Amino acid sequence: MAILSPRSGVQANNSFERRPRFASDRTEHFVESVIREMSRLANKYGAVNLAQGFPDFPAPASIKQAAIDAINADINQYPITWGLKPFRDAIARKYQSTYGLTFDPETEITVTCGSTEAMIATLLATTNPGDEVIVFEPFYENYFPDTQICGATRRLVTLHAPHWTFEPEELRRAFNSRTKAIIINTPNNPTGRVFSREELGFIAGLCQEFDAIAITDEIYEHILYDGLEHTPILSLPGMRDRTVLINSMSKTYSVTGWRVGWTLASADLSASIRKVHDFLTVGAASPLQQAGVHALASDASYYADLSTHYGERRELILEILTEAGFQPLRPQGAYYVMADISKFGFENDRAFAMHLVENIGVSCVPGSSFFETPGVGDQWVRFCFCKKIETLEAARERLKALKH
Ligand code: GLN
């Protein structure tokens, strides 16, 4: 028997709302991804797609060439289930050179089909039904079905606008003897928040006090603005053996469709994750892992240029949205902007997003898809800006028709 979740009532138009025949209980109370639904609607209405976070410009030529070369070199069969050895070595080298962190490629690195698989495999490998998992709200929408499939109970802790910070006391109260894990996504989707070393230190202390693990989604690690730096919580004292660090090639190398991600964790944690991963997917695409060897060897200028590139687009989208009557918040990292829509006078975020995609020709993501608490997402929509300048300019033109 499934427990009724408030979230199942939020997206009333979602096509997965009706329970299909033969469906299992575990599928009943989550809905189709609203992010991907908004991409589909963008295609249907010919709208400028600022909903789903994927680049509309080409991936780096040398990385594409490395994948073509790998296919031609016949790296086309199953890799070892936990990842092609040269790619695991490349991952180890990258974390050694970037953070001075040492991982054993044989026992501590597992290559997955994107960070999406990494997250669900980790949760399946570490939680039992009834365990509690702390999730900051707003959250990347996958964490809802991920925890639900595991039968884990989400304990929500609010990130407060406009700076998207949490109250330390609220976080402390969320921890208890049933807490198994906390999910941390920094730089954060959808808010762009970059957690400070002090905040991560506080979380690390609670994880140790309550014997919980940290599961971190660090896929926007290299997309940072205003001179901010990324700190993996795994690098803080006492966290090496109680953190699963998740990352992927998708955002850093602009290859979101490749589906190549990884987990870094102690040999013990990795052994459990590998068991789940093996039976879920066997492995990520071999030639793309081989291309990852080349990508992960990029020099520091590649990563600096990435932040500069997105930093320019951040300024542009903030200008465009402000001009159009939104009240956007300036992100510290990642490539999304949360924009307040209260001034437009719509019933809620979903009604607004539907108007925008159907009548104005711009697609965004309704804020409620990042919240479980009913009502609190209604004033927000999320725009992504990982797009060509001309795409953002096309959105500017269309948004001129929006009344405010
Ligand atoms: N991470 C991206 C977003 O938030 C894409 C998610 C997805 O569709 N896998 O838009």
Side-chain angles (χ1 to χ4, degrees):
M1 209 202 49
I3 299 158
L4 189 68
S5 143
R7 198 172 152 82
S8 62
V10 176
Q11 290 122 11
N13 297 329
N14 194 289
S15 50
F16 282 37
E17 192 65 19
R18 191 184 58 79
R19 180 171 177 156
R21 231 177 133 209
F22 308 123
S24 72
D25 288 349
R26 77 172 67 85
T27 65
E28 192 178 1
H29 289 297
F30 59 86
V31 290
E32 176 194 18
S33 157
V34 180
I35 296 174
R36 293 184 277 283
E37 182 188 14
M38 293 313 296
S39 258
R40 258 205 338 275
L41 291 176
N43 291 341
K44 178 171 167 193
Y45 294 110
V48 177
N49 188 357
L50 303 186
Q52 195 177 13
F54 62 88
D56 68 345
F57 46 82
S62 69
I63 298 177
K64 291 191 288 193
Q65 191 58 50
I68 293 163
D69 291 347
I71 290 176
N72 284 331
D74 259 318
I75 303 178
N76 294 314
Q77 308 307 328
Y78 299 124
I80 294 171
T81 186
W82 46 83
L84 214 64
K85 169 81 164 103
F87 186 48
R88 280 181 286 120
D89 290 345
I91 294 170
R93 278 195 300 274
K94 180 168 189 297
Y95 281 83
Q96 185 71 60
S97 63
T98 313
Y99 302 107
L101 291 169
T102 305
F103 293 98
D104 180 352
E106 295 310 323
T107 56
E108 297 186 314
I109 299 178
T110 306
V111 179
T112 57
C113 293
S115 61
T116 298
E117 189 216 330
M119 180 59 73
I120 195 150
T122 299
L123 285 164
L124 284 166
T126 57
T127 62
N128 290 313
D131 284 349
E132 293 190 5
V133 175
I134 298 175
V135 178
F136 290 104
E137 183 185 54
F139 51 81
Y140 173 50
E141 61 172 13
N142 280 33
Y143 307 154
F144 182 98
D146 286 348
T147 44
Q148 196 184 42
I149 283 171
C150 297
T153 304
R154 281 172 304 289
R155 287 285 297 241
L156 300 174
V157 173
T158 305
L159 293 177
H160 297 275
H163 299 297
W164 306 108
T165 45
F166 61 85
E167 301 276 353
E169 272 319 301
E170 188 192 346
L171 182 62
R172 167 168 282 282
R173 280 197 304 277
F175 274 85
N176 62 68
S177 59
R178 292 180 302 280
T179 307
K180 191 63 169 282
I182 178 168
I183 297 177
I184 302 155
N185 171 214
T186 182
N188 183 261
N189 176 8
T191 67
R193 183 76 216 293
V194 176
F195 282 47
S196 69
R197 184 173 272 271
E198 290 67 36
E199 286 171 314
L200 293 170
F202 182 74
I203 299 169
L206 290 170
C207 285
Q208 289 165 66
E209 185 179 334
F210 289 90
D211 198 22
I213 60 168
I215 305 174
T216 70
D217 175 345
E218 305 188 11
I219 65 167
Y220 302 99
E221 167 195 18
H222 289 294
I223 304 173
L224 293 163
Y225 311 116
D226 310 323
L228 290 174
E229 284 183 7
H230 175 70
T231 304
I233 198 171
L234 183 144
S235 67
L236 299 186
M239 294 306 286
R240 179 61 174 81
D241 292 339
R242 59 172 70 248
T243 302
V244 179
L245 188 163
I246 292 172
N247 208 327
S248 90
M249 290 184 66
S250 290
K251 313 291 180 177
T252 305
Y253 306 104
S254 302
V255 288
T256 61
W258 280 19
R259 317 311 302 131
V260 178
W262 56 86
T263 63
L264 306 179
S266 68
D268 260 9
L269 277 167
S270 294
S272 311
I273 294 166
R274 286 176 174 189
K275 279 197 218 173
V276 178
H277 159 73
D278 190 16
F279 291 106
L280 272 181
T281 64
V282 180
S286 313
L288 304 184
Q289 294 189 49
Q290 183 64 40
V293 176
H294 170 78
L296 267 63
S298 301
D299 59 24
S301 70
Y302 175 84
Y303 303 106
D305 289 351
L306 189 71
S307 285
T308 306
H309 169 95
Y310 283 128
E312 286 162 15
R313 282 153 183 76
R314 175 183 68 155
E315 296 313 317
L316 184 59
I317 189 93
L318 288 171
E319 182 188 297
I320 291 170
L321 293 176
T322 307
E323 213 173 85
F326 293 88
Q327 293 161 284
L329 295 179
R330 172 175 288 265
Q332 299 177 313
Y335 47 46
Y336 307 100
V337 173
M338 287 289 260
D340 192 316
I341 53 164
S342 321
K343 286 213 174 139
F344 294 108
F346 277 74
E347 187 193 338
N348 57 36
D349 58 316
R350 175 127 197 141
F352 179 85
M354 289 308 294
H355 170 67
L356 210 68
V357 69
E358 275 184 50
N359 305 320
I360 304 292
V362 176
S363 171
C364 64
V365 181
S368 55
S369 47
F370 305 104
F371 291 85
E372 180 171 358
T373 311
V376 294
D378 290 6
Q379 77 186 89
W380 301 106
V381 294
R382 190 199 76 174
F383 289 91
C384 73
F385 55 90
C386 46
K387 303 293 172 186
K388 294 184 230 169
I389 299 286
E390 65 210 66
T391 306
L392 299 175
E393 289 295 350
R396 187 203 301 262
E397 279 311 304
R398 290 176 180 211
L399 287 170
K400 285 183 178 154
L402 187 62
K403 303 255 181 323
H404 65 274

